[in-house]
Amino acid sequence: MSVLMLSEEDVRRLLTMEMALDAVEQVLRKQALEEAQNIPRTRSQTDHAMLHVLAAAAKSIGVLGLKAYTTTRRGAHFQVSLYDGKTGHLLSLMQADYLGQMRTGAASGVATQYMARHDAQEVGLFGTGKQARTQLLAVCKVRNIRHVHVYSPNDEHRRQFVSDMRALCPCDIDPVPRPELAAQDKDIVITATSSREPVLNGNWLAEGTHLNVIGSNFLGKAEVDAVAVRRCESIIVDSKDQARLEAGDFAQALEEGSIHWADVHELGQVIVGRFTGRAHPQDVTMFKSLGIALEDIAVAAKVYAKALEAGAGKTVEW
């Protein structure tokens, strides 16, 4: 049996945001139609490292697989194992740091397509790390963005991020020195931080804002406060089962009873038209991204197919 090995560099050369957006929208549609199965993330740990495992199957795409990654104080290592959905044979092992960044950005891009106002042009971004980059790239693919304000507590990081992204995004991008300036009078607000405490005050938001909240996948962490959650007319996640385990951004609002799980719906259900992402232009809406295995394997399948066409990677006899 031949297995295609793809390095981080291979994935970076092959994967585009357009591919990721198409893969994520397609697989979330399959999820809503019950043609795909997602297993929420599980975690185990030693004194020094944590292992995170996500698994999924998409029968009509023809693949199943898992992403496993380890985190330590020194960093993280990501891999995807992709299997044939009929034979069960291992098709590919690929390094998946960049893949994960792109699939997370793409999920927000798809949510923005279905939930943000069609005339949305002004973006506020909290965070300047790797995830923030792909968030902005994806949003710029689905809306005609004119201006972006970027905030992080570190002025040097803000300026470097702006310098890097100006070459990649067809819009004006400027750093701002205070967090409220990245939220006030914005059509789209993105939080892509590692903060354990809310960086976004819901009172800063204008009517009609769409939120992409992506930084936290632990119940003990939240990037947005309960005011922001309470103000949302539509709250959408990529997986409700996984959100129950990981959506710390909802914890306070759920505890105080200002929202209930019945108010939360999945993005796939919006894509197929069973729920609306935005009922009125003045609504505040939220997509809470957890990052799910279905997105990983769908994007990995696109990368694998393109690698076969390009003759990329290294084939190993297993």
Side-chain angles (χ1 to χ4, degrees), residues 36-164:
Q37 179 185 18
N38 186 77
I39 306 300
R41 186 180 355 244
T42 60
R43 293 181 168 102
S44 55
Q45 65 185 85
T46 65
D47 291 341
H48 304 287
M50 181 176 289
L51 173 65
H52 316 247
V53 180
L54 310 83
K59 61 182 181 181
S60 55
I61 296 176
V63 295
L64 63 164
L66 60 89
K67 181 166 80 172
Y69 63 101
T70 55
T71 52
T72 68
R73 291 184 178 181
R74 295 185 176 182
H77 303 279
F78 302 82
Q79 299 84 32
V80 164
S81 303
L82 189 69
Y83 298 84
D84 186 289
K86 292 184 179 179
T87 67
H89 289 165
L90 179 63
L91 300 173
S92 180
L93 291 173
M94 62 185 76
Q95 294 181 317
D97 186 6
Y98 187 67
L99 186 150
Q101 296 167 40
M102 291 288 277
R103 71 85 149 109
T104 308
S108 292
V110 173
T112 300
Q113 177 67 36
Y114 283 88
M115 299 179 69
R117 299 194 328 269
H118 291 290
D119 61 352
Q121 297 180 330
E122 300 288 325
V123 173
L125 175 60
F126 290 75
T128 54
K130 294 183 292 186
Q131 295 286 359
R133 292 169 182 260
T134 53
Q135 289 291 309
L136 188 54
L137 287 172
V139 166
C140 286
K141 292 291 184 182
V142 301
R143 286 294 183 270
N144 183 26
I145 303 304
R146 296 181 58 187
H147 198 190
V148 181
H149 280 156
V150 179
Y151 174 78
S152 81
N154 186 303
D155 179 64
E156 182 180 348
H157 290 174
R158 291 196 301 263
R159 294 183 182 279
Q160 185 61 55
F161 180 89
V162 167
S163 176
D164 294 343

Side-chain angles (χ1 to χ4, degrees), residues 204-272:
W204 297 337
L205 299 171
E207 287 190 348
T209 300
H210 171 65
L211 301 173
N212 290 321
V213 179
I214 74 106
S216 166
N217 55 27
F218 286 88
L219 285 178
K221 296 173 63 176
E223 291 184 295
V224 302
D225 65 6
V227 175
V229 178
R230 285 198 301 268
R231 290 192 61 190
C232 291
E233 295 295 330
S234 180
I235 300 175
I236 303 297
V237 296
D238 38 15
S239 165
K240 197 166 179 178
D241 288 342
Q242 194 159 316
R244 291 178 184 273
L245 300 173
E246 298 183 350
D249 298 276
F250 299 163
Q252 184 178 344
L254 286 165
E255 183 178 351
E256 67 188 23
S258 55
I259 68 164
H260 302 88
W261 281 112
D263 303 318
V264 179
H265 304 292
E266 291 186 340
L267 182 54
Q269 301 287 336
V270 175
I271 292 170
V272 300

Side-chain angles (χ1 to χ4, degrees), residues 12 38 68 143 181 262 278:
R12 285 181 178 272
N38 186 77
R143 286 294 183 270
L181 297 177
R278 170 174 296 275

